[in-house]
Amino acid sequence: MLGPPSPIRAGLLFGKISGDQLVIHHAVPGGHRSPPTYLPPFQFEPDYALGWADALAELNPSLEWVGMWVARPERILTDDEIDIFWASQAAEVGLLDPDSTLLIANWSEGELELQGWTVLDGDLAGLPVHWPGTEKILNH
């Protein structure tokens, strides 16, 4: 999904709060797009998202937060300005606020890079992302 020639993909995150960390339990696609389109990553069907939220709440009622993920294909260069643009777009349409997060994924030289975003005191704020099984914190 992250490699060329795929379009930009996006979806929803569902998780729990553990101490001062947000723990992702489910990352789901943002909707049915067949054939894949090049729509902005934050346009998806609300009924589809609500269906996932309801289904996961039935399976695991302790899920307490939701966020969004975006995956850039390898052909798009890693660029903090692009990430900030996407975080701004998510905030403008109401999908990024102090109670939600945005996780941006990208392949860089064969390795997965992750950057988290939220809104703190009205401003975009980067969040460190810990990828289990590795020793490094991925934070630009």
Side-chain angles (χ1 to χ4, degrees), residues 3-65:
S6 68
I8 297 166
R9 305 277 187 190
L12 298 170
L13 300 171
F14 297 90
K16 295 180 184 179
I17 298 170
S18 177
D20 62 351
Q21 296 181 346
L22 301 175
V23 180
I24 297 169
H25 285 262
H26 304 281
V28 300
H32 301 290
R33 293 190 175 149
S34 182
T37 64
Y38 290 90
L39 292 174
F42 306 116
Q43 288 184 358
F44 57 91
E45 302 162 13
D47 290 342
Y48 178 85
L50 184 58
W52 268 106
D54 287 347
L56 292 174
E58 284 294 317
L59 293 172
N60 190 346
S62 65
L63 295 177
E64 53 195 352
W65 69 269

